[in-house]
Amino acid sequence: MARHDPQARRAAIVQAAADLIVEMGPGRLTHRLVARRAQVPLGSTTAYFASLDELRQEGLGLLVDEVDDGLAEIRREFESDGADGSIALDALVGTLHEYLSRRRNVVSDVVLAATATFDDRARELALSWTDGLVAVLGEYIGADNAHAVAMITDGAGVHAAIRGEPLELDQLRRALVPFVQTSGGPR
């Protein structure tokens, strides 16, 4: 980071906050820990962010951006595989399994959900994954089935975060098969 680059310094602080939120949860975040991780003077964190809460929200926002990137990846997969209005079950299972295999993804999702339980401002951020997944899948399998898949995926995410590994591909497939039609358009 350039010594006198305010945008880079601010970005490093937000990235450090997001990383620490994933590693230890939002409740343990401190200006001192963020400054140490970002390798900036402690005063920089308070210069860019009026409060620890504002810094926490920015860190959570960055995690949401990462979730959105994952959703964009899922959308690209289904736009190419489901061009005829159907969705390939194996493509869905594979893509979700890959997403659930990334520890940062599942921990970010769980942290966002847990924070949203007690913080109204975080609720909108946390809903981005579920609402985004429903929007992506709803075009192919219908809204009701997309909601069911999102709920199963939320549970699979908690499972992966707690156990440190995702469900096996076959387990995930069996959980999703009742809600995904492999041909013939939305259900």
Side-chain angles (χ1 to χ4, degrees), residues 3 28 67 95 99 116 138 155 157 160 163 168 186:
R3 186 171 171 89
R28 295 181 55 203
V67 167
T95 302
Y99 183 86
R163 294 187 177 269
E168 296 292 327

Side-chain angles (χ1 to χ4, degrees), residues 1 34 50 60 81 100 106 119 139-140 146 164 172 174 180 182:
M1 164 180 42
V34 172
L60 290 169
D81 286 348
L100 294 168
V106 296
D119 183 343
E139 298 174 33
Y140 302 100
L172 189 56
R174 284 193 305 274
V180 179
T182 58

Side-chain angles (χ1 to χ4, degrees), residues 49-186:
F49 301 97
S51 68
L52 185 58
D53 189 50
E54 182 183 337
L55 177 55
R56 184 179 299 113
Q57 289 299 117
E58 288 286 325
L60 290 169
L62 183 59
L63 295 177
V64 168
D65 291 344
E66 292 175 9
V67 167
D68 288 345
D69 290 344
L71 286 170
E73 181 181 325
I74 290 170
R75 178 177 291 283
R76 282 189 301 276
E77 177 76 29
F78 298 131
E79 284 175 346
S80 64
D81 286 348
D84 65 350
S86 66
I87 188 169
L89 176 61
D90 290 336
L92 174 61
V93 171
T95 302
L96 289 176
H97 188 268
E98 184 179 324
Y99 183 86
L100 294 168
S101 296
R102 295 183 206 132
R103 178 105 179 120
R104 184 176 177 96
N105 290 349
V106 296
V107 172
S108 295
D109 291 342
V110 170
V111 164
L112 286 167
T115 303
T117 303
F118 303 103
D119 183 343
D120 290 337
R121 291 168 297 161
R123 186 165 291 125
E124 184 177 327
L125 298 174
L127 288 172
S128 67
W129 162 255
T130 302
D131 292 348
L133 186 61
V134 169
V136 168
L137 297 180
E139 298 174 33
Y140 302 100
I141 62 174
D144 289 343
N145 287 336
H147 279 281
V149 169
M151 287 186 285
I152 291 166
T153 304
D154 286 344
V158 171
H159 173 91
I162 292 170
R163 294 187 177 269
E165 62 186 24
L167 292 169
E168 296 292 327
L169 276 168
D170 287 343
Q171 293 172 312
L172 189 56
R173 188 179 208 290
R174 284 193 305 274
L176 298 180
V177 75
F179 305 102
V180 179
Q181 185 172 334
T182 58
S183 64

Side-chain angles (χ1 to χ4, degrees), residues 30-47:
T30 67
H31 285 286
R32 188 173 306 284
L33 288 171
V34 172
R36 187 176 309 131
R37 175 64 63 91
Q39 298 179 340
V40 300
L42 179 59
S44 292
T45 62
T46 56

